Amino acid sequence: MLKEGTKAPVFSLPDQNGDIHTLEEYRGKKVILYFYPKDNTAGCTKQACGFAERYPQFVEKGAVILGVSKDSVKSHKNFETKYELPFTLLSDPELSVIQAYDVWKEKKNYGKVSMGVVRTTYLIDEDGIIVKAMDKVKAADNPQQMLEVLE
């Protein structure tokens, strides 16, 4: 996980509509950049829907929400449509941004070891500096925690 106080790595990734997003275009805004393992899984759906429910409050506080996983643009589009997600989902199948943000880790599931995305959320300030870094976040609690961090 990247340390608070460090410059956030720049990125350029397609969203659920195939449009490219860069960190630079969000300069001057707070960015909640959250990394999650997989579209349409229980935890990831809880987390995404939690951000969606609170979306107006995040907008009020001047924050942009960007979700990142290694799922395809098409998978993200289906996920967005199914749950009416009002924010941007970025597709990183090559793991370039996932690795730059140090969230690709060894995971253990029922004794089986594999590599995967560790659920991690970063708050990046208006100048591109990481001001909050949370790893191994609980999917259901994370959206509310991030709202509180913005207070």
Side-chain angles (χ1 to χ4, degrees):
M1 181 173 71
L2 301 179
K3 299 253 184 284
E4 293 172 4
T6 59
K7 189 160 177 43
V10 296
F11 59 78
S12 178
L13 290 174
D15 69 8
Q16 65 269 37
N17 300 310
D19 300 323
I20 300 297
H21 291 258
T22 64
L23 184 58
E24 276 305 303
E25 74 188 67
Y26 296 105
R27 190 56 73 119
K29 293 184 176 173
K30 293 179 182 87
V31 176
I32 293 169
L33 186 66
Y34 84 95
F35 293 87
Y36 65 98
K38 191 158 181 49
D39 290 341
N40 288 303
T41 55
C44 298
T45 299
K46 263 192 202 126
Q47 188 176 22
C49 289
F51 277 120
E53 282 167 28
R54 295 166 181 81
Y55 188 70
Q57 293 161 276
F58 284 107
V59 171
E60 238 173 61
K61 295 178 186 325
V64 174
I65 300 169
L66 302 173
V68 183
S69 81
K70 65 186 187 73
D71 292 306
S72 68
V73 168
K74 184 177 189 298
S75 174
H76 278 350
K77 186 65 187 172
N78 293 340
F79 190 44
E80 174 211 33
T81 303
K82 184 174 181 180
Y83 295 101
E84 298 178 358
L85 302 177
F87 53 87
T88 302
L89 298 174
L90 300 174
S91 176
D92 187 17
E94 282 83 44
L95 309 177
S96 58
V97 177
I98 288 168
Q99 288 176 334
Y101 279 83
D102 197 28
V103 298
W104 187 251
K105 304 272 189 197
E106 195 174 87
K107 295 165 74 171
K108 285 188 180 131
N109 195 10
Y110 302 111
K112 186 178 165 234
V113 177
S114 63
M115 294 299 287
V117 172
V118 174
R119 195 179 304 281
T120 306
T121 304
Y122 291 102
L123 175 60
I124 302 167
D125 74 7
E126 294 85 346
D127 299 315
I129 304 299
I130 296 170
V131 292
K132 186 74 178 165
M134 302 170 76
D135 69 344
K136 298 180 184 153
V137 297
K138 292 204 176 352
D141 301 340
N142 188 234
Q144 186 59 40
Q145 288 170 328
M146 293 314 293
L147 257 185
E148 288 164 13
V149 167
L150 288 171
E151 290 301 329

